Amino acid sequence: MPQIKIISRAGARDFILQNHYARTTPSTVKVSLGWLEGDRLVGVGLWGYGVRPLHTVKKLFPSLGVENYLELNRLCLLDELPRNSESQFLSACASEILKLFPQVKVLFSWADGLRGKPGFVYQAASWLYGGFIKSEFYAAEDGEVIHPRLLISRYGTRAVWKELGLRRIFGYQFRYCKFLCSHKERKQLL
């Protein structure tokens, strides 16, 4: 049976680079949790915050602060693992986060509908669906994904995407959350 363990940021980054479609790790990671079978790393969950943490939590739950939630920045498991491994890993991560950060009341994540991922993993792990947003990203010829914020920070505008030879892709992002607080507090938050 795999075990959950805090792993180094560098180890998590290397695993993501080799096994995740995004090939990047956000700078806002607070804790890297690894799933180990013996000494072998088979999965990684990076937990921290999004680009606008206070905005995110206040939009969903106005009474909570940044210290009361964590966002799943990356979820990556080896493809060879059995079905439902992602849901099992998410549940194990929730238990570990509750021990490490008892002030965290809500876990939050986005399912990347732009890449055909509507959130089945979260649904199977009993996370609650929280709506969607329309979104876009840009893709280079080699498949590298470029977020609109990167174009703005690097070039001052999104308008350069055509000049750079990027494809613009539209779709949806789906919100999911998992409550770690008491049933009574969950009812108040909802």
Side-chain angles (χ1 to χ4, degrees), residues 172-188:
Y172 297 96
Q173 301 276 355
F174 305 101
R175 288 185 196 100
Y176 286 90
C177 65
K178 173 81 172 170
F179 290 94
L180 302 182
C181 56
S182 70
H183 185 70
K184 179 180 177 182
E185 198 166 9
R186 173 184 160 168
K187 282 177 71 173
Q188 290 170 342

Side-chain angles (χ1 to χ4, degrees), residues 7-80:
I7 61 172
S8 73
R9 212 178 152 120
R13 184 187 62 240
D14 292 345
F15 188 87
I16 299 268
L17 187 61
Q18 292 173 19
N19 300 292
H20 195 273
Y21 63 86
R23 298 186 303 227
T24 61
T25 55
S27 60
T28 55
V29 173
K30 189 169 181 175
V31 64
S32 303
L33 295 178
W35 210 18
L36 293 113
E37 285 183 341
D39 291 336
R40 183 173 174 240
L41 186 61
V42 298
V44 168
L46 302 181
W47 297 88
Y49 305 108
V51 177
R52 298 170 56 195
L54 186 59
H55 172 81
T56 300
V57 74
K58 290 294 185 190
K59 184 169 182 146
L60 295 169
F61 306 105
S63 64
L64 297 182
V66 174
E67 69 282 357
N68 301 125
Y69 96 106
L70 282 177
E71 186 169 329
L72 180 59
N73 300 124
R74 289 286 182 272
L75 175 67
C76 181
L77 276 73
L78 295 178
D79 289 336
E80 68 196 49

Side-chain angles (χ1 to χ4, degrees), residues 102-122:
Q103 73 279 13
V104 171
K105 299 173 187 300
V106 178
L107 299 178
F108 174 77
S109 188
W110 291 101
D112 199 351
L114 289 159
R115 293 189 183 97
K117 299 177 183 291
F120 296 137
V121 168
Y122 303 112

Side-chain angles (χ1 to χ4, degrees), residues 123-158:
Q123 294 168 27
S126 299
W127 287 48
L128 296 178
Y129 173 69
F132 67 89
I133 61 168
K134 292 180 181 178
S135 188
E136 66 184 274
F137 70 85
Y138 301 87
E141 285 184 28
D142 67 356
E144 179 188 1
V145 171
I146 298 152
H147 195 279
R149 279 189 304 274
L150 181 62
L151 290 177
I152 292 168
S153 64
R154 199 173 279 169
Y155 303 104
T157 179
R158 293 181 189 191

